Amino acid sequence: MEQLFKIKERNSTVSREVVGGITTFLAMAYILIVNPNILSGVGLDLPAGTLPTWSGVFTATAISAAIGTLLMAFLANLPVALAPGLGLNAFFTFTVVLGMGCTWQLALTAVLCEGIIFILMSLFGIREAIINSIPEGLKKAVAVGIGLFITIIGLSSGGIISTDTGTLIGFVKFNGEHLNAIVAVIGLILTIVLYMLNVPGAILIGIIATTVIGIPFGVTKIPENWSPVSLPGAPHFCAFDFKGAVLDGSGHFSGVVLGKFFVILITFLFTDLFDTIGTLLGVAEQGNLKDKDGNIQNAKGALLSDSIATVAGAMLGTSTVTSFVESSSGVAAGGRTGLTSVVTAAFFLLSLFFSPLFFLVPAAATAPALIFVGFLMLRTVTKIDFSDPTEGIPAFITIAVMPFSYSIAKGIMWGIISYVISKCAGKKAKDIPVVTWVLAAIFLADIIFESCK
């Protein structure tokens, strides 16, 4: 095991890796509910067959997450978990299917093509070159931005903040109407105390303890006739529609249909590319998982894992599989190697048969973990050179845009554009790598394109 995962070399232990893996799973287990709800259109009054079934998507979510996370463990030896990404699944359902009128089978075809393109880009080192072209200061800013991003996710999922407070955003009142918030704050206090007392696995213990605390508050709900065992439904295997990507309703080739498919494909491709890059940069910075040149360790293997997982997810019937920012919680709990990912993947497979047991963990219990990890990732901000405006301004914009746009990809986009502008204005254009120039031009074109829609 040591030879495979290099646990001692990364100053870790098996117990820390196990705790890290469980912590990551608990922090992202919500995707097992949220992804099927979004892709199957729960709460929408739609004709049968408009979207895939809930049970099929649930099974696809668990299996694709396990496959992707195991690939990350053995191809990259990184403590990064994968699953169908939020935002991309909403684009799949609400924009592609319900907005553009495409079939969900066609949307899956676009996801498959995206994954195949990413595999080729990863094998030829194109995605790795993009990561390495991002300036060091921006890499650190990405980690800080992700920290604030997941803090907002934690505050929101725990019910602590709301837009219904009379201000743009604010804290709710901690009364009987907001029991989730009360439980989440109790859990955060408990996590802080455990961390300050140097208790091993403080974040994981905090999640479990908060789940128990939530029972008398009615936040942790145990259904009647509850059983911890359930059988999974069959996934929608290889439900692709290649003809629908090029043919119109009469069965003839259509440039308009092909153009629509191309837009869908590019949107999936672009968003997933920079969400993944941001997550890997953030986790690598937090866990010091970088090589002597400051680049992500085994980046090629990590990106290849992400690409293959997307193809596997499409074949099983789910939207784009991507690296999850919640992996930071497992790194904060001690995870440093692929063994953490193996543990997380094992729990995703177990969830197929014990989903009711995992679903007992409420959002109020995982929220404190996400908020606390935000603090741990924010510490990187001290390594950014804010005394140099050409470095500090792009870093600030990257950090600010991620949480307020609710998008890692947009944070990277605006950060790189502002980096080029700042360096040029500061008469340091020679410091800008060629790939960074290209990325800035692509990002600017994308912004203009989106604005003209």
Side-chain angles (χ1 to χ4, degrees), residues 64-75:
S64 63
I67 291 173
T69 308
L70 284 173
L71 286 169
M72 187 67 72
F74 294 110
L75 293 183

Side-chain angles (χ1 to χ4, degrees), residues 158-165 170-175 177-178 181-182:
I160 297 173
I161 59 174
S162 172
T163 55
D164 300 326
T165 57
F171 269 36
V172 301
K173 294 181 179 179
F174 296 98
N175 53 29
E177 295 182 5
H178 300 98
I182 293 173

Side-chain angles (χ1 to χ4, degrees), residues 52-132:
T53 63
W54 194 97
S55 59
V57 177
F58 172 84
T59 302
T61 301
I63 295 177
S64 63
I67 291 173
T69 308
L70 284 173
L71 286 169
M72 187 67 72
F74 294 110
L75 293 183
N77 193 25
L78 290 173
V80 177
L82 295 86
L86 288 173
L88 290 167
N89 53 12
F91 175 76
F92 181 107
T93 298
F94 296 104
T95 300
V96 178
V97 178
L98 302 182
M100 302 174 70
C102 300
T103 64
W104 63 268
Q105 291 90 345
L106 178 65
L108 277 182
T109 307
V111 174
L112 174 70
C113 294
E114 172 214 344
I116 293 172
I117 292 172
F118 271 164
I119 288 176
L120 295 174
M121 289 177 66
S122 300
L123 288 174
F124 287 102
I126 298 174
R127 294 178 82 188
E128 188 176 2
I130 292 173
I131 290 180
N132 294 341

Side-chain angles (χ1 to χ4, degrees), residues 191-434:
T191 302
I192 292 171
V193 171
L194 291 171
Y195 181 82
M196 295 302 297
L197 293 175
N198 296 317
V199 176
I203 294 175
L204 175 59
I205 294 172
I207 293 174
I208 297 172
T210 307
T211 301
V212 175
I213 292 170
I215 295 176
F217 283 88
V219 172
T220 302
K221 299 176 181 178
I222 304 177
E224 293 183 11
N225 303 317
W226 178 79
S227 171
V229 180
S230 68
L231 297 176
H236 300 281
F237 189 70
C238 288
F240 301 121
D241 179 18
F242 290 99
K243 289 183 179 179
V246 295
L247 303 181
D248 58 22
S250 60
H252 296 98
F253 175 82
S254 170
V256 174
V257 173
L258 183 61
K260 181 189 293 186
F261 180 79
F262 181 75
V263 170
I264 295 169
L265 173 61
I266 290 300
T267 302
F268 276 129
L269 193 74
F270 179 84
T271 305
D272 184 29
L273 173 62
F274 290 99
D275 272 354
T276 298
I277 287 176
T279 298
L280 291 176
L281 285 174
V283 172
E285 189 68 42
Q286 182 189 5
N288 194 28
L289 302 173
K290 299 184 292 184
D291 59 24
K292 56 181 174 53
D293 297 320
N295 298 319
I296 301 170
Q297 291 182 3
N298 306 320
K300 187 172 185 177
L303 295 168
L304 185 60
S305 302
D306 183 274
S307 307
I308 297 173
T310 291
V311 172
M315 293 179 69
L316 290 165
T318 185
S319 54
T320 305
V321 177
T322 187
S323 301
F324 255 60
V325 69
E326 284 82 359
S327 302
S328 303
S329 61
V331 174
R336 291 293 182 275
T337 75
L339 181 57
T340 291
S341 297
V342 170
V343 174
T344 302
F347 272 86
F348 269 114
L349 292 176
L350 281 173
S351 69
L352 287 168
F353 306 99
F354 297 94
S355 56
L357 181 63
F358 296 116
F359 292 164
L360 284 181
V361 181
T366 55
L370 297 177
I371 296 168
F372 190 74
V373 169
F375 150 71
L376 296 176
M377 297 190 72
L378 200 68
R379 293 181 297 184
T380 306
V381 75
T382 60
K383 300 177 183 178
I384 299 173
D385 184 12
F386 285 105
S387 63
D388 180 357
T390 66
E391 294 286 335
I393 292 175
F396 164 72
I397 290 176
T398 302
I399 293 167
V401 170
M402 279 191 190
F404 294 126
S405 69
Y406 218 72
S407 170
I408 295 173
K410 281 186 171 58
I412 295 175
M413 177 192 304
W414 284 99
I416 287 181
I417 290 174
S418 62
Y419 181 83
V420 171
I421 293 172
S422 298
K423 286 294 182 181
C424 289
K427 300 179 180 179
K428 295 182 178 180
K430 63 180 184 300
D431 295 342
I432 306 173
V434 175

